Amino acid sequence: MKKLVVLLGFLAFSPLLQAQKVTVNKKSDKVKGESAEGYTTTLEGKKEDIAAAWAKYIKTFGRVKSGSGYDFIENPAMGGTVYTSGILYAKNDGNVESGSVWLGIRADEWTVNDIKIVEETVEKLVYQFGIKFYKDKIQAQINEAQQALNIVVRKQQQLVGENKSLNSKLTNNEQQKIQLEKSLEANKLEHLVLQQKIVNNKKAQD
């Protein structure tokens, strides 16, 4: 019960436990000097953390290549479909407190029949990234809390073990004291008996 209280107490002060809303907005951006249509979301967190998570996320769509200020995946796999044509573009930006990601396409690089469903898929992918990012952050804090709890528990167990050891030593010392006191009393009695024998022997000699 105490473990649960410690863990919940730690998490109660976590800002990520407050409801994090992921909002996705449509946004045009420039790639290769041309306009590309896509979707973006801004997330709370350090720019480098979001960028690292984003880089890992877009790798699930295919081989990532670097362009001028953007990344791209040719013939990406999205929503259970591997496209034989088309390029997916990705960007990220931000600062210390927040970061944004963008995913988009240029319609002229895709088969006409694929454009609508690809745009819908792109919007879902951006949203899913936002959800995943916050979920992973919360899980990381839970793991951190558990590690802190484990340290506290180990320290408590150590103290309990030391306390048991001290109590055991105290009990042994008390028993040794009792034995020593008994031995001392026995020695005193033996001493008195010897003294009396000496007196008796002296009287006998006289």
Side-chain angles (χ1 to χ4, degrees):
M1 183 62 181
K2 289 183 179 179
K3 294 181 182 180
L4 181 60
V5 171
V6 173
L7 181 60
L8 292 179
F10 181 92
L11 292 176
F13 295 97
S14 170
L16 280 175
L17 285 185
Q18 305 298 324
Q20 296 289 347
K21 184 178 180 181
V22 177
T23 301
V24 177
N25 297 309
K26 194 168 186 177
K27 179 186 176 183
S28 298
D29 213 327
K30 290 286 185 180
V31 289
K32 301 178 183 177
E34 299 292 336
S35 179
E37 296 298 326
Y39 292 87
T40 184
T41 187
T42 299
L43 306 170
E44 294 181 19
K46 294 180 180 179
K47 174 184 177 180
E48 56 268 28
D49 292 341
I50 296 172
W54 181 242
K56 184 177 180 180
Y57 184 72
I58 62 176
K59 285 181 180 180
T60 62
F61 309 140
R63 182 182 176 186
V64 179
K65 299 179 182 180
S66 296
S68 179
Y70 62 88
D71 293 319
F72 65 97
I73 302 102
E74 297 174 325
N75 305 330
M78 303 181 295
T81 301
V82 177
Y83 293 91
T84 56
S85 64
I87 302 175
L88 186 65
Y89 297 96
K91 290 185 176 185
N92 68 85
D93 198 3
N95 52 47
V96 177
E97 297 180 353
S98 65
S100 62
V101 298
W102 175 86
L103 198 64
I105 65 170
R106 283 177 49 186
D108 60 332
E109 296 175 336
W110 289 79
T111 302
V112 175
N113 293 336
D114 291 337
I115 293 176
K116 183 177 180 181
I117 191 170
V118 168
E119 288 179 340
E120 292 174 351
T121 301
V122 166
E123 181 179 12
K124 291 177 182 178
L125 291 175
V126 173
Y127 177 78
Q128 288 170 358
F129 170 74
I131 296 297
K132 184 178 186 302
F133 178 77
Y134 284 137
K135 181 180 178 181
D136 290 346
K137 290 285 286 184
I138 292 173
Q139 185 61 52
Q141 288 200 339
I142 291 174
N143 293 342
E144 182 182 351
Q146 184 62 54
Q147 290 175 358
L149 176 60
N150 290 341
I151 293 173
V152 171
V153 170
R154 284 197 297 269
K155 185 63 177 178
Q156 287 178 337
Q157 290 174 342
Q158 180 182 353
L159 292 174
V160 169
E162 291 176 354
N163 187 50
K164 286 181 179 180
S165 178
L166 290 173
N167 286 336
S168 178
K169 289 180 180 179
L170 180 60
T171 300
N172 291 336
N173 288 340
E174 289 176 345
Q175 291 175 347
Q176 290 177 1
K177 179 184 176 184
I178 293 172
Q179 292 298 324
L180 289 172
E181 289 174 343
K182 288 181 179 179
S183 297
L184 182 60
E185 290 298 323
N187 288 337
K188 286 181 179 179
L189 180 59
E190 184 178 353
H191 181 68
L192 291 173
V193 169
L194 288 173
Q195 284 183 328
Q196 187 62 43
K197 284 183 178 181
I198 292 172
V199 171
N200 291 342
N201 285 340
K202 188 177 181 180
K203 288 180 178 180
Q205 291 174 2
D206 292 340

